[in-house]
Amino acid sequence: MNIEKTNGDALTLALSGRLDTTTAPLLQEALLPAFEENKNVVLDFEGIEYVSSAGLRVLLLGAKTAKAAGGSQTLVHVADEVQEVFELTGFDGVLSFG
């Protein structure tokens, strides 16, 4: 998985590849410190083709960290196949989408 950072109104992390057991720690290392410097973080899922339970865990941790910091974590450009995973697991009611 690749992570590319850009900064505007919110920090954007553009993700590509698979968000799975191998790559979830990489996202966690980039995501959690991001809330120390930025109130709002956008995760651009345009390049994500797969999300495993390990990936879901990191996204949930990010959402909780954002809420505790008084900020937000927003997912954008989510592919239909990945959105279906969020819906089947109930994460569509926990995560924020833009």
Side-chain angles (χ1 to χ4, degrees):
M1 178 176 67
N2 292 320
I3 302 172
E4 187 176 319
K5 294 182 184 182
T6 57
N7 218 339
D9 293 336
L11 175 69
T12 298
L13 301 178
L15 311 175
S16 62
R18 295 169 57 92
L19 181 50
D20 57 21
T21 305
T22 305
T23 60
L26 300 173
L27 177 58
Q28 183 171 333
E29 288 175 15
L31 182 60
L32 297 185
F35 291 109
E36 295 172 11
E37 301 172 15
N38 304 275
K39 196 168 190 172
N40 302 310
V41 175
V42 174
L43 299 176
D44 188 339
F45 264 56
E46 186 169 8
I48 293 293
E49 56 200 38
Y50 173 81
V51 177
S52 74
S53 59
L56 292 173
R57 182 190 62 77
V58 171
L59 294 173
L60 181 60
L61 183 58
K64 288 181 177 182
T65 301
K67 185 175 181 180
S72 66
Q73 170 184 274
T74 305
L75 281 65
V76 298
H77 303 128
V78 179
D80 291 342
E81 298 82 15
V82 175
Q83 184 66 37
E84 187 175 339
V85 171
F86 294 142
E87 291 170 3
L88 290 172
T89 57
F91 273 66
D92 61 328
V94 176
L95 301 174
S96 298
F97 299 90

